[in-house]
Amino acid sequence: MMATIGILGGTGPAGRGVALRLASSGHDVVLGSRDADRAGETARGLIPRGTGLISGATNEAAAACDLVVVATPWDSAVSTVSALRAQLADKIVISMVNALAKEGRELVPMYPPRGSMAAQIAYALPESNIVGAFHHLPAAQMQDLDSGLDADVVIFSDHAPARQHVADIVDEMPGLRAIVAGSMSLASPIEAFTAVCISVNIRHKVHSYVKLAGMGH
Ligand SMILES: NC(=O)c1ccc[n+]([C@@H]2O[C@H](COP(=O)([O-])OP(=O)(O)OC[C@H]3O[C@@H](n4cnc5c(N)ncnc54)[C@H](OP(=O)(O)O)[C@@H]3O)[C@@H](O)[C@H]2O)c1
């Protein structure tokens, strides 16, 4: 059965892109927001190709879904999930959050006390299974189903069944291939590499994305 997936901070470009491709692979998606009306308006502007429906609601309603994605800015991720700890208990929570700072033409990684945003979220949600995914995806191409996107999604978690479940979901999303990298120990370099991706795109005025060669499928 298809899971219903909630996205905290789902009204931003990152959440909208993930929502569109999840719904296009058949999932019903709830865009969460601090403002349910804004989320409803945003959801109405997203037209998936598939059987999944996208609706807009509060972050609380998004957190009530079977599986939840965190797509807020880094500096509000922990406060957002902490307020929803009870609703998120015993669920898979996907972090796509990158802690980055702009310095001139570059994005540079920042390192939270626990080394990564996924680890910060795991610390805030001890009853949830945290999986990292979607960090390197370009939101503009994610939101355009005709963009020809053919990107890899690098996935990590300390909970092997949870990360495999997320990998199975990602592999069904149009334009994406799941690559299970390993444990939460890899969170820091995976999140930090997003700074490389964005800085390359700024410097070279391109829209590149991550695709690992030699995977054999
Ligand atoms: N943009 C990308 O290409 C991309 C790709 C991969 C990963 N990411 C990561 O995904 C996350 C979201 O990126 P984004 O570009 O979509 O960010 P964004 O537009 O700045 O924020 C996303 C949403 O978060 C909510 N939000 C903003 N400030 C908040 C606060 N103080 N407290 C609670 N919620 C707040 C807003 O929704 P409401 O106002 O409706 O509540 C906003 O629409 C980031 O952590 C980013 O690193 C981004």
Side-chain angles (χ1 to χ4, degrees), residues 35-217:
D35 179 338
D37 290 341
R38 178 167 50 240
E41 197 175 319
T42 303
R44 282 189 289 281
L46 296 174
I47 314 293
R49 282 182 202 148
T51 54
L53 301 173
I54 303 177
S55 58
T58 59
N59 282 326
E60 288 73 14
C65 292
D66 304 324
L67 186 150
V68 178
V69 180
V70 187
T72 67
W74 71 271
D75 51 357
S76 50
V78 169
S79 58
T80 300
V81 300
S82 294
L84 301 166
R85 176 173 165 175
Q87 294 93 316
L88 296 173
D90 303 319
K91 290 181 185 171
I92 296 175
V93 175
I94 301 176
S95 172
M96 64 184 299
V97 180
N98 300 300
L100 304 174
K102 187 128 190 347
E103 283 191 353
R105 292 173 65 207
E106 290 184 344
L107 268 286
V108 295
M110 293 188 293
Y111 296 95
R114 291 181 178 272
S116 67
M117 287 309 303
Q120 294 296 138
I121 289 169
Y123 184 65
L125 299 178
E127 299 89 10
S128 306
N129 292 320
I130 310 305
V131 176
F134 303 130
H135 296 89
H136 307 140
L137 294 176
Q141 285 135 293
M142 283 287 286
Q143 287 180 74
D144 175 5
L145 291 170
D146 294 319
S147 65
L149 184 70
D150 178 24
D152 282 346
V153 175
V154 182
I155 298 169
F156 59 87
S157 176
D158 282 344
H159 192 278
R163 75 185 176 215
Q164 188 54 51
H165 185 63
V166 172
D168 293 342
I169 289 172
V170 169
D171 270 330
E172 295 295 321
M173 294 168 73
L176 302 182
R177 177 177 69 167
I179 306 282
V180 173
S183 73
M184 183 69 89
S185 308
L186 299 171
S188 179
I190 288 169
E191 292 178 12
F193 190 71
T194 308
V196 180
C197 300
I198 299 174
S199 296
V200 164
N201 284 343
I202 293 172
R203 179 170 297 276
H204 297 278
K205 298 186 175 61
V206 293
H207 300 283
S208 71
Y209 47 79
V210 170
K211 184 81 181 173
L212 299 181
M215 286 299 298
H217 70 280

